[in-house]
Short mmCIF file of all heavy atoms in Angstrom, two decimals:
data_model
loop_
_atom_site.label_atom_id
_atom_site.label_comp_id
_atom_site.label_asym_id
_atom_site.label_seq_id
_atom_site.Cartn_x
_atom_site.Cartn_y
_atom_site.Cartn_z
N ASP K 289 -4.89 -4.63 12.87
CA ASP K 289 -4.17 -3.37 12.96
C ASP K 289 -4.74 -2.39 11.95
O ASP K 289 -5.41 -2.78 10.98
CB ASP K 289 -2.69 -3.57 12.66
CG ASP K 289 -1.92 -4.15 13.82
OD1 ASP K 289 -2.37 -3.99 14.97
OD2 ASP K 289 -0.88 -4.79 13.59
N ALA K 294 -0.90 8.25 3.22
CA ALA K 294 -1.00 9.64 2.78
C ALA K 294 -0.05 9.89 1.62
O ALA K 294 0.97 9.21 1.47
CB ALA K 294 -0.66 10.59 3.94
N ALA K 305 1.60 16.10 10.76
CA ALA K 305 0.50 16.36 11.70
C ALA K 305 -0.61 15.33 11.54
O ALA K 305 -1.21 14.87 12.53
CB ALA K 305 -0.05 17.77 11.48
N GLY K 314 -5.35 5.66 17.45
CA GLY K 314 -5.20 4.22 17.53
C GLY K 314 -4.61 3.54 16.32
O GLY K 314 -4.49 2.30 16.29
N GLN K 328 6.70 14.98 -2.58
CA GLN K 328 7.93 15.22 -1.85
C GLN K 328 8.59 13.91 -1.45
O GLN K 328 7.95 12.88 -1.31
CB GLN K 328 7.64 16.05 -0.59
CG GLN K 328 7.20 17.49 -0.88
CD GLN K 328 6.90 18.26 0.39
OE1 GLN K 328 6.26 17.76 1.30
NE2 GLN K 328 7.37 19.50 0.45
N PRO K 348 6.97 3.13 3.19
CA PRO K 348 6.39 3.53 1.90
C PRO K 348 5.38 2.51 1.40
O PRO K 348 5.58 1.31 1.54
CB PRO K 348 7.61 3.55 0.97
CG PRO K 348 8.50 2.48 1.52
CD PRO K 348 8.28 2.47 3.02
N SER K 357 19.28 3.03 -5.66
CA SER K 357 20.08 1.81 -5.55
C SER K 357 19.74 1.11 -4.24
O SER K 357 19.35 1.74 -3.26
CB SER K 357 21.57 2.13 -5.63
OG SER K 357 21.96 2.97 -4.57
N MET K 371 17.89 5.34 14.70
CA MET K 371 17.51 6.56 15.39
C MET K 371 16.23 6.40 16.19
O MET K 371 16.09 7.00 17.27
CB MET K 371 17.33 7.69 14.37
CG MET K 371 18.61 8.12 13.67
SD MET K 371 18.30 9.36 12.39
CE MET K 371 17.79 10.77 13.38
N ARG K 382 6.72 -3.46 -8.07
CA ARG K 382 7.50 -3.34 -9.31
C ARG K 382 7.76 -1.89 -9.68
O ARG K 382 8.73 -1.59 -10.36
CB ARG K 382 6.76 -4.03 -10.46
CG ARG K 382 6.66 -5.54 -10.33
CD ARG K 382 5.84 -6.13 -11.48
NE ARG K 382 6.44 -5.78 -12.75
CZ ARG K 382 5.75 -5.40 -13.83
NH1 ARG K 382 4.43 -5.31 -13.77
NH2 ARG K 382 6.38 -5.11 -14.95
N ALA K 390 9.23 8.90 -14.93
CA ALA K 390 10.64 9.16 -15.23
C ALA K 390 11.09 8.43 -16.50
O ALA K 390 12.29 8.37 -16.78
CB ALA K 390 11.52 8.75 -14.05
N THR K 406 17.86 -8.48 -0.98
CA THR K 406 19.07 -7.68 -0.76
C THR K 406 18.81 -6.57 0.24
O THR K 406 19.61 -6.34 1.16
CB THR K 406 19.56 -7.10 -2.09
OG1 THR K 406 19.86 -8.18 -2.99
CG2 THR K 406 20.80 -6.24 -1.89
N VAL K 417 24.87 -9.32 -2.05
CA VAL K 417 25.57 -8.99 -3.29
C VAL K 417 24.77 -7.95 -4.04
O VAL K 417 23.59 -8.15 -4.35
CB VAL K 417 25.77 -10.25 -4.15
CG1 VAL K 417 26.43 -9.87 -5.49
CG2 VAL K 417 26.63 -11.27 -3.41
N PRO K 434 10.97 -5.70 8.16
CA PRO K 434 10.02 -6.52 7.40
C PRO K 434 9.79 -5.91 6.03
O PRO K 434 9.68 -4.69 5.89
CB PRO K 434 8.76 -6.50 8.26
CG PRO K 434 8.91 -5.32 9.17
CD PRO K 434 10.36 -5.05 9.32
N ARG K 450 6.25 -16.62 -1.54
CA ARG K 450 7.55 -17.26 -1.37
C ARG K 450 8.53 -16.41 -0.59
O ARG K 450 9.33 -16.92 0.20
CB ARG K 450 8.18 -17.58 -2.73
CG ARG K 450 7.48 -18.65 -3.54
CD ARG K 450 8.36 -19.10 -4.70
NE ARG K 450 8.85 -18.01 -5.53
CZ ARG K 450 8.24 -17.54 -6.60
NH1 ARG K 450 7.08 -18.08 -6.98
NH2 ARG K 450 8.74 -16.54 -7.31
N ASP K 461 -12.20 -5.50 -1.81
CA ASP K 461 -13.28 -6.37 -2.25
C ASP K 461 -13.10 -7.75 -1.62
O ASP K 461 -12.08 -8.40 -1.84
CB ASP K 461 -13.23 -6.48 -3.78
CG ASP K 461 -14.32 -7.38 -4.34
OD1 ASP K 461 -14.34 -8.57 -3.98
OD2 ASP K 461 -15.14 -6.90 -5.13
N ALA K 476 3.17 -19.77 -0.25
CA ALA K 476 3.97 -19.89 0.96
C ALA K 476 4.13 -21.35 1.37
O ALA K 476 5.23 -21.80 1.71
CB ALA K 476 3.33 -19.09 2.09
N GLY K 480 7.56 -24.05 1.55
CA GLY K 480 7.95 -24.58 2.84
C GLY K 480 7.82 -23.60 3.98
O GLY K 480 8.41 -23.79 5.05
N VAL K 490 -4.64 -5.12 3.65
CA VAL K 490 -5.54 -4.58 2.62
C VAL K 490 -5.50 -3.06 2.73
O VAL K 490 -5.65 -2.50 3.82
CB VAL K 490 -6.98 -5.10 2.81
CG1 VAL K 490 -7.99 -4.19 2.11
CG2 VAL K 490 -7.09 -6.51 2.25
N GLU K 498 -22.93 9.73 6.13
CA GLU K 498 -24.28 9.25 6.41
C GLU K 498 -24.75 8.29 5.32
O GLU K 498 -24.25 8.31 4.19
CB GLU K 498 -25.25 10.45 6.50
CG GLU K 498 -24.98 11.38 7.66
CD GLU K 498 -25.97 12.54 7.70
OE1 GLU K 498 -26.82 12.62 6.79
OE2 GLU K 498 -25.88 13.35 8.64
N MET K 517 -6.66 4.04 -10.36
CA MET K 517 -5.30 3.62 -10.00
C MET K 517 -5.17 2.11 -10.09
O MET K 517 -4.20 1.59 -10.65
CB MET K 517 -4.96 4.11 -8.60
CG MET K 517 -3.50 3.87 -8.21
SD MET K 517 -3.11 4.37 -6.52
CE MET K 517 -3.72 2.93 -5.61
N LEU K 540 -11.90 -8.60 -11.33
CA LEU K 540 -10.84 -7.61 -11.25
C LEU K 540 -10.63 -6.87 -12.56
O LEU K 540 -10.30 -5.69 -12.57
CB LEU K 540 -9.52 -8.29 -10.83
CG LEU K 540 -8.27 -7.40 -10.74
CD1 LEU K 540 -8.45 -6.32 -9.69
CD2 LEU K 540 -7.04 -8.25 -10.43
N GLY K 549 -7.06 5.81 -21.09
CA GLY K 549 -5.66 6.16 -20.85
C GLY K 549 -5.50 6.64 -19.42
O GLY K 549 -6.44 6.57 -18.61
N TYR K 550 -4.30 7.13 -19.11
CA TYR K 550 -4.05 7.54 -17.74
C TYR K 550 -2.98 8.62 -17.71
O TYR K 550 -1.91 8.47 -18.31
CB TYR K 550 -3.59 6.33 -16.91
CG TYR K 550 -3.67 6.54 -15.42
CD1 TYR K 550 -4.87 6.38 -14.74
CD2 TYR K 550 -2.55 6.91 -14.69
CE1 TYR K 550 -4.96 6.56 -13.37
CE2 TYR K 550 -2.61 7.10 -13.32
CZ TYR K 550 -3.82 6.93 -12.66
OH TYR K 550 -3.91 7.12 -11.31
N ASP K 551 -3.29 9.72 -17.03
CA ASP K 551 -2.36 10.83 -16.88
C ASP K 551 -1.91 10.88 -15.42
O ASP K 551 -2.72 11.12 -14.52
CB ASP K 551 -3.05 12.14 -17.27
CG ASP K 551 -2.11 13.34 -17.22
OD1 ASP K 551 -0.99 13.21 -16.68
OD2 ASP K 551 -2.51 14.42 -17.69
N ALA K 558 -8.59 12.89 -5.79
CA ALA K 558 -10.03 13.04 -6.00
C ALA K 558 -10.27 13.96 -7.18
O ALA K 558 -9.55 14.95 -7.38
CB ALA K 558 -10.68 13.60 -4.75
N PHE K 574 -14.40 -1.82 -4.03
CA PHE K 574 -12.97 -1.64 -3.75
C PHE K 574 -12.72 -0.76 -2.52
O PHE K 574 -11.66 -0.84 -1.92
CB PHE K 574 -12.27 -1.01 -4.94
CG PHE K 574 -12.06 -1.94 -6.12
CD1 PHE K 574 -12.65 -3.20 -6.17
CD2 PHE K 574 -11.27 -1.55 -7.18
CE1 PHE K 574 -12.46 -4.04 -7.25
CE2 PHE K 574 -11.06 -2.39 -8.27
CZ PHE K 574 -11.66 -3.64 -8.31
N LYS K 607 -10.00 14.04 5.28
CA LYS K 607 -8.92 13.26 5.88
C LYS K 607 -9.03 13.20 7.41
O LYS K 607 -9.08 12.14 8.01
CB LYS K 607 -7.56 13.85 5.49
CG LYS K 607 -7.24 13.84 4.00
CD LYS K 607 -5.88 14.46 3.77
CE LYS K 607 -5.50 14.49 2.31
NZ LYS K 607 -6.34 15.42 1.54
#
Side-chain angles (χ1 to χ4, degrees):
D289 282 335
Q328 292 179 316
S357 62
M371 294 176 68
R382 293 177 58 222
T406 300
V417 176
R450 292 193 308 269
D461 180 300
V490 159
E498 295 180 357
M517 187 183 81
L540 178 62
Y550 196 82
D551 183 349
F574 286 10
K607 297 179 180 69

